[in-house]
Amino acid sequence: MQDDRELLTEQENIDQGTSEGGQAESGDRRKFLTRVGWGSLAGFLAINSLAFLRFFYPRVLFEAPSQFKVGFPADYPPGAVNSQYQREFGTWIIRLQDGSFFAMESKCTHLGCTPSWMESQKKFKCPCHGSGYYISGLNFEGPAPRPMDRFKISIAEDGQLLVDKTIKYPGVPGKESNEVYPQSLLKV
Ligand code: FES
């Protein structure tokens, strides 16, 4: 009788332990799910807040100005192509051997890639399909259909060179732009 009683008590203890373990496990799961829930809600609110703030940010395209100064004539040696303004303004400043200047758009007239000036070969070479241009912008090899375009260049009041991209001299097929557009050359 005594043994039966001890066995019964032991079984009760086991049952109680199992029940407490189950409760602890269930509590942990609940905490986990609560955390996941709050985390998801916080993420959702953060994304929506950013979208809301973006709404107030002006949708403006920041473009380089169409008129810009490129330094003084004395900064440019004759017979040289200056690529300093290529990246920001898409323009080369070129000074010919006779000292005159012109500003040329750094854009291939085939499909619009950016050619590179090859100093050793004295030509512009387009990396996309191989078009080649003389220093004047006249095309002589590859699929380019016409010379590269030029922009107006003049002297500003402070003596600096001023490029105006709103005035463009488009290359004419087979023609030398120095002759078609003498006004594109700035003699100083
Ligand atoms: S884009 Fe320059 S050759 Fe095609």
Side-chain angles (χ1 to χ4, degrees):
M1 192 65 182
Q2 178 68 24
D3 287 348
D4 286 351
R5 181 69 201 142
E6 280 173 6
L7 277 174
L8 201 57
T9 307
E10 207 170 297
Q11 185 59 46
E12 282 170 358
N13 286 341
I14 290 169
D15 289 348
Q16 193 177 347
T18 308
S19 167
E20 282 172 0
Q23 280 177 0
E25 198 174 301
S26 147
D28 285 350
R29 195 179 312 128
R30 200 174 308 122
K31 272 186 202 163
F32 173 74
L33 290 174
T34 305
R35 280 196 194 123
V36 169
W38 280 112
S40 303
L41 183 63
F44 175 78
L45 288 175
I47 289 169
N48 275 283
S49 300
L50 286 175
F52 183 69
L53 289 174
R54 178 71 186 85
F55 177 77
F56 291 102
Y57 192 73
R59 289 184 183 273
V60 176
L61 195 58
F62 293 102
E63 285 186 347
S66 52
Q67 292 189 350
F68 52 95
K69 292 177 180 173
V70 293
F72 295 92
D75 299 336
Y76 293 82
V81 173
N82 185 309
S83 302
Q84 188 181 341
Y85 302 94
Q86 176 187 307
R87 184 180 290 267
E88 189 176 358
F89 297 101
T91 304
W92 294 302
I93 310 300
I94 297 161
R95 187 169 201 187
L96 299 174
Q97 285 293 353
D98 68 1
S100 58
F101 286 87
F102 64 93
M104 189 154 70
E105 184 171 28
S106 41
K107 187 175 175 183
C108 180
T109 55
H110 179 222
L111 293 178
C113 289
T114 303
S116 301
W117 172 245
M118 320 292 282
E119 180 60 35
S120 61
Q121 299 169 56
K122 298 285 181 199
K123 70 175 186 181
F124 291 98
K125 186 72 177 169
C126 183
C128 293
H129 313 97
S131 290
Y133 302 82
Y134 296 122
I135 193 171
S136 66
L138 180 64
N139 56 307
F140 67 92
E141 63 180 354
R146 60 185 178 82
M148 288 190 279
D149 302 339
R150 296 183 178 189
F151 300 122
K152 182 177 174 57
I153 187 168
S154 59
I155 297 284
E157 284 180 4
D158 63 0
Q160 289 196 65
L161 295 162
L162 175 69
V163 177
D164 183 353
K165 291 178 73 172
T166 63
I167 300 176
K168 197 169 186 174
Y169 306 107
V172 177
K175 303 275 186 185
E176 179 59 74
S177 295
N178 289 348
E179 291 158 16
V180 180
Y181 302 111
Q183 68 273 41
S184 68
L185 289 170
L186 172 69
K187 298 186 189 297
V188 293

